[in-house]
Amino acid sequence: MEKNTRRVGTVSRGIRCPIIRQGDDLASIVTESILLAAKEEGFELRDRDVISVTESVVARSQGNYASVQDIADDVRAKCGGGTIGVIFPILSRNRFAICLKGIAMGAKKIVLMLSYPSDEVGNELVSLDKIDAAGVNPYSDVLTLKQYRDLFGENRHEFTGVDYVAYYAEIIEAAGAEAEIIFANQPRAILEYTDTVIACDIHTRARTKRILKAAGAKIVLGLDDILNAPVNGSGCNEQYGLLGSNKSTEDTVKLFPRNCTALVEDIQKRILSATGKCVEVMVYGDGAFKDPKGKIWELADPVVSPAHTPGLIGTPNELKLKYLADNDFAHLNGDALREAIESSIRAKDGNLKGKMASEGTTPRQLTDLIGSLCDLTSGSGDKGTPIVLVQGYFDNYTNN
């Protein structure tokens, strides 16, 4: 083994902390939890380590909550309380069902238009094989509920076991509104039923709203336009509204955290003061990755990271070691190969975009990559680690 050669690269640690409640000094809790973990586990913080805090505890410390009645009042004020088209929602008990309850409470009738064969993030209503067998064109065909049932019957979600078509209809009716369900992928299809529409898609919402407005819709809102200001003294999110919200209780939602920049900067300053190390800090939500079995794209939040320190802006600028080993230095082995690769890394261009030696590296935002790593580390259940410390992420083969 070579002298001074470090054998460990990137390390991701879930950090336990106390249960966070509204009004808690989160910056202090995060800093103290990191420092205690380092002392107990025997590791040291280094410059450019990344401290990540899950959006859930940030929103909880902010007290950023709203009730279904707040949602209903906002919807009624903005949409008039009549028939509302609710289009392209994701299929989720945690993410959308509680929002649908509030929306339905603010309307006389809901025409719910579901995309098919799956929602925006990959939750499947019906398989593509069944679509093909039925001779249906999902890009153009609009199906009524009866047509959907006649063609495809009942389809329960692979993981949750829920028939979301029936479940969403029950939510609407229990909230006191009439429910009509159709299936389509063209936003304009809803205008055959109503000219007042709430577009519930997440990442395609700007296009959906643009198409509806151009087609003559009278009122077009997105979930980002609901609770983008306080209602009845509620929480809100000025930028994202209901996007990124989660069910808190049967009658309340926890909204996506707001104004998080001050928090990440505060944590960065506290760690620098305590250790002399300049770390990066970010708030993270859902990761951005796709499950190969369920075909579900995890990202139900509007962004992976709503706030981060400036050092996390950008994309990786990395060389592909296997490309160098198999091509440029195929004739070398052992120390000669290591030294040649280290020399290439040290001399690499500041922007490797388009260079063959970077082919196959991950061209994604640093916050999306690190946030995905943190989401997988912290999980979504009972691990109790809402803080994640990532070390060595910005190291390369030359760092010892």
Side-chain angles (χ1 to χ4, degrees):
M1 182 185 299
E2 303 91 345
K3 289 184 179 180
N4 301 320
T5 297
R6 176 148 51 94
R7 311 306 294 186
V8 176
T10 301
V11 175
S12 177
R13 288 184 174 91
I15 306 296
R16 291 181 178 173
C17 72
I19 301 299
I20 305 300
R21 295 295 189 190
Q22 181 175 344
D24 284 350
D25 184 349
L26 189 58
S28 176
I29 292 172
V30 170
T31 302
E32 183 178 352
S33 297
I34 290 286
L35 296 177
L36 285 173
K39 182 179 180 181
E40 291 176 3
E41 297 298 319
F43 63 83
E44 294 183 354
L45 293 179
R46 299 193 290 263
D47 289 328
R48 297 219 77 191
D49 284 353
V50 182
I51 296 173
S52 300
V53 185
T54 181
E55 60 82 20
S56 178
V57 298
V58 178
R60 196 183 308 153
S61 70
Q62 293 176 342
N64 202 18
Y65 294 88
S67 70
V68 290
Q69 189 61 58
D70 297 329
I71 297 172
D73 290 347
D74 203 22
V75 167
R76 187 178 296 107
K78 291 174 177 175
C79 296
T83 299
I84 301 174
V86 174
I87 72 172
F88 302 154
I90 64 171
L91 308 176
S92 172
R93 294 169 297 176
N94 175 46
R95 289 288 190 168
F96 186 71
I98 190 75
C99 296
L100 179 60
K101 179 179 180 180
I103 293 169
M105 286 168 57
K108 182 178 180 181
K109 177 179 179 178
I110 297 294
V111 181
L112 182 66
M113 190 170 92
L114 301 174
S115 54
Y116 74 101
S118 64
D119 69 9
E120 179 185 6
V121 297
N123 292 292
E124 196 172 78
L125 272 178
V126 57
S127 71
L128 278 171
D129 290 335
K130 288 184 178 180
I131 293 285
D132 292 340
V136 171
N137 182 346
Y139 298 102
S140 59
D141 293 348
V142 179
L143 305 179
T144 64
L145 177 59
K146 184 178 186 309
Q147 288 171 321
Y148 169 83
R149 291 298 193 195
D150 288 346
L151 287 169
F152 307 119
E154 180 186 84
N155 293 276
R156 294 184 174 271
H157 192 282
E158 180 178 5
F159 297 138
T160 66
V162 174
D163 176 358
Y164 278 96
V165 177
Y167 178 51
Y168 280 1
E170 291 166 2
I171 289 173
I172 294 168
E173 291 166 353
E178 181 185 349
E180 182 173 0
I181 298 180
I182 61 173
F183 303 80
N185 291 301
Q186 294 295 331
R188 298 179 189 87
I190 194 64
L191 299 181
E192 295 294 322
Y193 299 82
T194 179
D195 60 3
T196 300
V197 185
I198 299 176
C200 300
D201 43 345
I202 305 163
H203 308 290
T204 56
R205 62 188 184 276
R207 175 178 181 269
T208 298
K209 288 194 274 188
R210 172 176 55 79
I211 290 172
L212 288 167
K213 290 174 182 177
K218 181 181 177 182
I219 297 174
V220 178
L221 301 174
L223 286 180
D224 52 331
D225 300 308
I226 306 299
L227 286 185
N228 56 357
V231 175
N232 307 322
S234 73
C236 70
N237 190 296
E238 295 86 348
Q239 185 174 8
Y240 297 119
L242 280 176
L243 290 175
S245 63
N246 285 271
K247 179 179 179 179
S248 177
T249 70
E250 294 301 320
D251 294 302
T252 58
V253 293
K254 177 192 64 59
L255 300 168
F256 212 47
R258 52 196 296 227
N259 305 326
C260 305
T261 301
L263 172 68
V264 298
E265 291 176 346
D266 190 6
I267 294 170
Q268 186 182 55
K269 289 177 183 177
R270 288 170 184 257
I271 293 293
L272 180 62
S273 176
T275 67
K277 303 300 180 182
C278 186
V279 300
E280 305 295 345
V281 184
M282 64 183 284
V283 176
Y284 71 97
D286 274 348
F289 46 83
K290 187 172 182 177
D291 170 56
K293 185 175 188 297
K295 301 178 180 61
I296 298 170
W297 184 33
E298 178 71 6
L299 187 55
D301 287 326
V303 290
V304 173
S305 177
H308 49 81
T309 48
L312 295 175
I313 295 171
T315 58
N317 190 56
E318 300 173 346
L319 294 170
K320 198 76 169 179
L321 294 191
K322 67 181 180 182
Y323 179 89
L324 295 176
D326 293 345
N327 290 273
D328 295 23
F329 308 124
H331 58 292
L332 299 177
N333 287 293
D335 288 346
L337 175 60
R338 176 181 54 79
E339 290 170 5
I341 287 178
E342 287 184 355
S343 179
S344 292
I345 293 172
R346 292 190 182 100
K348 69 182 177 182
D349 194 305
N351 182 5
L352 295 171
K353 185 176 180 179
K355 306 291 179 63
M356 285 301 293
S358 68
E359 183 181 27
T361 57
T362 308
R364 292 168 56 189
Q365 296 295 317
L366 289 168
T367 50
D368 294 344
L369 291 164
I370 298 171
S372 297
L373 172 61
C374 293
D375 189 28
L376 289 168
T377 301
S378 62
S380 58
D382 57 8
K383 287 185 173 62
T385 55
I387 306 164
V388 177
L389 173 66
V390 179
Q391 296 189 291
Y393 191 85
F394 294 102
D395 291 354
N396 60 47
Y397 190 62
T398 69
N399 294 114
N400 295 316

